[in-house]
Amino acid sequence: MRNSLFITWTLLLFVTLIGISCKMEIPESQDNKPGGLTDGLQNLYSDPDFSFNTCRAVKLTINSEPKTIFQIYSDRPINGGKLMAKGITKQDGSFQKYYVIPTFVNSMFVRAQNQKGEQSTGEFEIINNSVHLEFDFEGEPLVLPKELSCDKADQWLNSESSPVIQVAENETYAIQEGDYYEGGIEVQENGRLIICGKANLSQLKLEGEAYLEISGELIASRIIQDGTGSRIMLTRGSRLTLDESFDFSGSLHNQGRINIAGSFTLRTNGADKSENFNRITVGGDMHLWGELHNKINRRREQYGHLMVAKTLYVQRAALISNSAYIETGEDMDVEGRSEWLGSYGKIGENLKFQHTSSNKMAVEGRYGNLIETKNFKAHATIDVKGKLESSQLNTSQEKVSVIKVSELTKLSSGMILNNNRESKFILCDLDGVEMDASGINWGSNMNFLTCKYIRPTGPFFPKGEDMDRDGIPNSLDDFPKDPNKSFTNYTPSSGIYGTYVFEDLYPKTGDFDFNDMVVRYQYQTITNSEGKTTNIVAKFLVKAVGAAKENGFGVKLDGISKAQIKGISGLPFAASRIVDLDSKGLESAPSEPVLIVYDNVNEFLGMEAGQIYNTGNPTGIDDPDTTTILIELLNPIENPILSFKPIFFIDKDRTREVQLKDEKPTNLFNRGLYGTDDDASRPMENRYFRTESGMPWVMDISGDFQHMRERNDITTGYLKIVDWINSNGETYQDWFSNESPDYRMESKLIKD
């Protein structure tokens, strides 16, 4: 069988709008005004709604094994593909984040590694804005129950069947794959209902030892039970949705998804037990009477995820055995027994072990366990068993169990800790352990520690050497010595820079040569082991200045607020006579965070006013170094939708700012420029920085861009840009990156 990692990509149009227009500052007597434009530009008309985007945002959603580490490339590395992003799924196997890719990229290459160190790769196409990808990992065969079959039945149900059905004793009724039934069903003792298609029931009644087997989908307003001993089985890919609470006495075997809107009471009798290999979601409380095993199957391709919105009650004499994942919104209240066998628990409020004769918490030392809770209250016996593989704390071979408490720890008299000398059990409290130590039998090898750097090892946690103990192996950790940083995500990608270009005659049109200022950029979003963003590194490289004016450049950060930013470092100027900065290093006046990179690009390059750089004529100006700026966040942010919007301002006048087409200006912009000369902005319609023909003054190109030589408009160097614009970006999306002779005129371009 195969271990599966499913990835869904949903493509959403990004707000990072792109504009075109660049004015090469040449004496006005020369033929560089609109009247002297080439036929291609004179006849060019942009659709008012065309954004000039050369990139798009991708929403990545992963449902996988817990703590699956993945790497995303623009193509296979052997073909020159560049790393774009790295990340790790959460304990429940989920991951979601936005990435920016060029519009012409239609496929991706992904490499994944699970917690056993098994690796798999896959290449996939982006089709219809969505794709599902399955990875194969090595492992033991999966033992599944026998496949359900709807081919043999005493009667088949479909949309033509009676709205009231009674399944008699020893009879089998089935809904075949592709069929649909709606109504009410009663299954009598030893009767069997098999659902391979879809059923929508107002009521389902199970009598005595009735059988319900689902490989399709069942939606029911309610399920009622008369007697005990019924059997419910869901196979992989199946769904059971209940609109009300459910009180069930019998055995449950789940490999599908169960969603109960209300509370759930599960009772098992005698030798019966229930097993969960996939998802059970309960909207209210859950009461367990009997035995429930929340498990990972032998091959670890499926794992039990039990999520209770309120409190999970493990009643006296009941047993919950967890080798997978349990999450509660409120409490986990245990009067019976609980086993933790290489598992993860996330308890919203209180983890409580009551004092009863049957109460025991068993922690299996052969595996790593992690239980996170706000408050831990123990008045019971804790049994720690098993033999460790190393005596040194937190080595990659050792199995360590941790209870991690964020607020209150209360250990009451009568608590007993039994753990053999070869096991390790850690109780850590973020603000120190509060305890009533009188009458507590500590046993041996008990550790009270702070939670920093404490992580267990085991099936849910990465293997391999982990120097900073952040749960990410050194081999996959971009910051192996820093526990607060794990992964680097690139825009556009590692080793590739995007390019900003602009025209500086705003509000007049220019000559569209795109070299008044050309700035290469790369953004690196740093995330921690929980996938939260901790820092942003922004790199900029000035490639050309073709204007006589002394212009400036900055970036507006969308997706975060000023309050979330701790500080800026690495600015290339110590003080400015043109812009005002606050104590963090951000521009003071705008309400949104604006990073001024070059207040005067001429001063940065050591040029006098009127000088130009790298547009085809020798200037004697040295190539500048890359400017690297660190944006440090106050606290890690979970999944911010980040985008970076260029701002240019003209001739040392901050109020004459120019942005991307239809990008709202900052509050520093001189609104008296609206509607003057060639500007056709209409603020009431959210239309900004555009001409009447729909052309903009700024462009963001999602890749390395060879800019134009002086006095050559963009259409003479890039031969497919007109077709791209006229098609509203549908055709020739690689107009700037394709190096074929029919795409570009090399003699018009400045090569690196």
Side-chain angles (χ1 to χ4, degrees):
M1 302 298 295
R2 294 185 171 183
N3 194 2
S4 302
L5 168 66
F6 296 100
I7 297 183
T8 302
W9 292 77
T10 305
L11 303 182
L12 304 174
L13 183 63
F14 221 41
V15 190
T16 350
L17 302 176
I18 300 169
I20 303 179
S21 212
C22 176
K23 165 81 171 59
M24 189 66 178
E25 197 65 28
I26 309 171
E28 293 194 6
S29 60
Q30 299 187 31
D31 191 19
N32 68 313
K33 294 301 178 186
L37 297 176
T38 63
D39 291 340
L41 282 173
Q42 287 179 330
N43 298 326
L44 189 59
Y45 184 87
S46 166
D47 186 298
D49 294 324
F50 178 49
S51 65
F52 286 81
N53 266 320
T54 64
C55 59
R56 57 183 172 182
V58 176
K59 184 181 179 182
L60 169 62
T61 301
I62 299 178
N63 294 301
S64 173
E65 296 181 26
K67 296 294 183 180
T68 295
I69 300 172
F70 58 89
Q71 299 166 290
I72 304 170
Y73 295 83
S74 57
D75 193 0
R76 290 182 178 273
I78 196 172
N79 297 334
K82 301 296 184 181
L83 179 67
M84 298 176 63
K86 296 172 72 174
I88 185 170
T89 60
K90 297 179 180 179
Q91 292 288 359
D92 64 357
S94 67
F95 178 87
Q96 190 172 92
K97 198 173 183 66
Y98 287 84
Y99 297 103
V100 177
I101 63 172
T103 53
F104 64 82
V105 173
N106 295 311
S107 64
M108 292 280 185
F109 180 82
V110 180
R111 177 179 289 137
Q113 177 175 314
N114 68 7
Q115 294 310 298
K116 293 186 293 181
E118 298 165 342
Q119 296 186 357
S120 189
T121 59
E123 186 174 11
F124 60 90
E125 289 185 281
I126 302 170
I127 302 174
N128 296 327
N129 295 343
S130 181
V131 68
H132 298 263
L133 182 64
E134 179 174 338
F135 280 107
D136 298 326
F137 292 115
E138 297 296 330
E140 301 176 36
L142 169 66
V143 178
L144 290 173
K146 64 180 181 180
E147 292 296 324
L148 297 184
S149 174
C150 291
D151 295 337
K152 294 181 180 181
D154 297 298
Q155 185 171 329
W156 288 274
L157 305 179
N158 55 43
S159 58
E160 304 296 324
S161 301
S162 169
V164 179
I165 296 293
Q166 186 178 75
V167 182
E169 185 176 357
N170 296 320
E171 285 191 339
T172 298
Y173 281 37
I175 303 171
Q176 291 184 305
E177 186 175 357
D179 284 343
Y180 174 78
Y181 173 79
E182 185 171 1
I185 298 178
E186 177 183 331
V187 185
Q188 295 185 343
E189 179 103 12
N190 291 318
R192 186 182 301 270
L193 175 62
I194 305 176
I195 301 173
C196 299
K198 183 174 181 178
N200 193 332
L201 305 182
S202 57
Q203 177 175 295
L204 173 62
K205 183 177 181 180
L206 303 174
E207 294 188 357
E209 295 186 5
Y211 293 84
L212 172 62
E213 301 173 358
I214 306 171
S215 64
E217 181 176 7
L218 170 59
I219 301 173
S221 297
R222 61 184 175 275
I223 297 179
I224 60 175
Q225 192 177 14
D226 184 2
T228 63
S230 294
R231 304 285 189 269
I232 298 178
M233 182 174 75
L234 285 83
T235 63
R236 290 198 298 173
S238 63
R239 290 181 179 269
L240 170 60
T241 303
L242 296 178
D243 296 335
E244 298 181 2
S245 297
F246 185 29
D247 190 331
F248 178 66
S249 179
S251 65
L252 172 67
H253 182 98
N254 178 48
Q255 295 198 49
R257 298 202 172 198
I258 299 176
N259 194 320
I260 301 170
S263 297
F264 182 32
T265 299
L266 178 60
R267 311 170 193 268
T268 57
N269 301 307
D272 287 343
K273 65 179 180 180
S274 292
E275 296 178 312
N276 178 44
F277 290 94
N278 204 328
R279 286 184 179 243
I280 299 177
T281 304
V282 181
D285 295 326
M286 180 173 174
H287 296 264
L288 178 63
W289 300 83
E291 193 169 326
L292 173 62
H293 294 257
N294 196 50
K295 305 174 72 173
I296 301 177
N297 62 32
R298 287 179 59 197
R299 194 148 182 275
R300 288 185 165 79
E301 69 170 358
Q302 278 192 308
Y303 67 97
H305 180 181
L306 176 61
M307 187 165 68
V308 180
K310 293 185 177 180
T311 296
L312 171 59
Y313 294 95
V314 181
Q315 305 291 354
R316 190 172 301 197
L319 166 66
I320 186 162
S321 178
N322 184 37
S323 54
Y325 179 84
I326 291 177
E327 180 178 352
T328 71
E330 295 180 1
D331 300 347
M332 182 173 176
D333 194 335
V334 183
E335 290 190 34
R337 295 174 296 147
S338 65
E339 295 177 342
W340 302 84
L341 312 174
S343 59
Y344 180 75
K346 187 175 183 180
I347 312 304
E349 293 291 336
N350 301 300
L351 175 61
K352 298 188 290 186
F353 292 93
Q354 308 293 347
H355 181 53
T356 66
S357 59
S358 61
N359 192 324
K360 181 175 288 189
M361 177 183 179
V363 179
E364 180 60 70
R366 290 177 298 174
Y367 308 103
N369 296 273
L370 174 61
I371 307 172
E372 292 182 306
T373 183
K374 185 179 291 185
N375 302 307
F376 177 54
K377 301 175 182 179
H379 192 177
T381 298
I382 298 180
D383 248 345
V384 183
K385 305 176 181 179
K387 183 176 181 179
L388 297 176
E389 300 171 16
S390 171
S391 59
Q392 185 178 357
L393 180 63
N394 276 344
T395 65
S396 60
Q397 292 81 27
E398 188 179 26
K399 303 299 182 290
V400 179
S401 292
V402 179
I403 296 181
K404 184 175 181 180
V405 184
S406 62
E407 292 188 5
L408 174 68
T409 303
K410 185 175 181 180
L411 308 177
S412 300
S413 177
M415 175 186 165
I416 301 173
L417 175 68
N418 299 318
N419 69 315
N420 71 41
R421 296 179 181 276
E422 296 173 314
S423 300
K424 185 69 70 176
F425 176 73
I426 297 172
L427 174 61
C428 71
D429 191 311
L430 292 176
D431 59 0
V433 175
E434 309 86 3
M435 56 185 169
D436 174 11
S438 61
I440 298 178
N441 183 353
W442 296 118
S444 60
N445 222 11
M446 176 68 173
N447 293 269
F448 295 100
L449 302 172
T450 59
C451 293
K452 191 174 183 181
Y453 306 139
I454 299 300
R455 288 185 179 271
T457 57
F460 275 76
F461 307 94
K463 294 186 176 182
E465 185 180 358
D466 183 10
M467 190 182 306
D468 58 12
R469 297 176 182 172
D470 63 353
I472 308 300
N474 291 348
S475 59
L476 296 173
D477 195 334
D478 293 332
F479 307 91
K481 296 182 180 181
D482 189 339
N484 299 313
K485 301 176 184 177
S486 298
F487 303 118
T488 303
N489 301 273
Y490 297 90
T491 302
S493 61
S494 64
I496 300 293
Y497 278 62
T499 310
Y500 297 133
V501 294
F502 102 114
E503 287 278 350
D504 74 345
L505 281 190
Y506 178 82
K508 296 180 180 180
T509 55
D511 55 9
F512 289 86
D513 57 9
F514 288 93
N515 61 14
D516 285 3
M517 192 189 305
V518 179
V519 180
R520 296 260 178 95
Y521 69 84
Q522 184 190 76
Y523 300 103
Q524 300 175 11
T525 303
I526 312 301
T527 57
N528 62 18
S529 60
E530 297 178 346
K532 296 180 180 180
T533 299
T534 60
N535 302 89
I536 301 168
V537 177
K539 294 186 175 185
F540 304 98
L541 179 63
V542 178
K543 292 300 294 182
V545 174
K549 296 183 175 69
E550 296 180 77
N551 299 320
F553 164 73
V555 175
K556 181 169 61 177
L557 282 68
D558 278 1
I560 56 176
S561 66
K562 277 187 169 182
Q564 292 174 303
I565 296 175
K566 182 178 181 180
I568 307 294
S569 60
L571 294 176
F573 56 89
S576 174
R577 300 183 300 274
I578 302 170
V579 297
D580 293 322
L581 305 183
D582 62 18
S583 59
K584 296 180 179 181
L586 296 168
E587 193 170 22
S588 300
S591 57
E592 60 271 72
V594 174
L595 174 68
I596 299 299
V597 183
Y598 307 116
D599 62 339
N600 184 337
V601 73
N602 290 63
E603 287 188 1
F604 172 72
L605 293 173
M607 298 184 346
E608 296 180 3
Q611 280 189 288
I612 59 177
Y613 163 67
N614 197 26
T615 60
N617 296 324
T619 60
I621 297 170
D622 294 333
D623 293 336
D625 294 330
T626 299
T627 299
T628 301
I629 298 174
L630 173 64
I631 304 167
E632 187 176 0
L633 302 184
L634 190 62
N635 295 299
I637 304 174
E638 186 163 8
N639 294 335
I641 305 175
L642 292 173
S643 58
F644 309 91
K645 311 294 181 61
I647 298 177
F648 294 90
F649 48 96
I650 300 170
D651 209 17
K652 298 190 290 187
D653 184 352
R654 180 61 184 85
T655 70
R656 289 185 64 192
E657 74 177 38
V658 189
Q659 294 197 47
L660 300 166
K661 179 180 177 180
D662 291 337
E663 185 64 31
K664 185 177 180 179
T666 70
N667 55 11
L668 290 174
F669 175 70
N670 178 6
R671 282 156 174 76
L673 296 173
Y674 287 148
T676 62
D677 294 318
D678 298 310
D679 178 71
S681 297
R682 297 182 180 90
M684 296 299 292
E685 301 175 16
N686 292 319
R687 296 180 181 271
Y688 306 96
F689 302 115
R690 53 158 67 206
T691 68
E692 197 63 47
S693 63
M695 302 298 291
W697 276 264
V698 177
M699 187 172 188
D700 175 358
I701 301 169
S702 57
D704 291 338
F705 179 71
Q706 307 301 319
H707 59 274
M708 301 299 301
R709 289 184 176 274
E710 190 175 339
R711 303 183 190 180
N712 292 279
D713 74 64
I714 189 73
T715 67
T716 64
Y718 291 94
L719 308 181
K720 301 299 183 183
I721 188 173
V722 173
D723 295 321
W724 175 69
I725 295 172
N726 289 338
S727 71
N728 290 336
E730 294 297 323
T731 64
Y732 299 106
Q733 294 175 346
D734 59 345
W735 63 267
F736 61 91
S737 62
N738 194 314
E739 298 184 6
S740 301
D742 55 340
Y743 270 71
R744 58 172 61 182
M745 185 69 67
E746 296 288 352
S747 62
K748 305 287 186 178
L749 308 179
I750 300 292
K751 300 288 287 184
D752 287 343

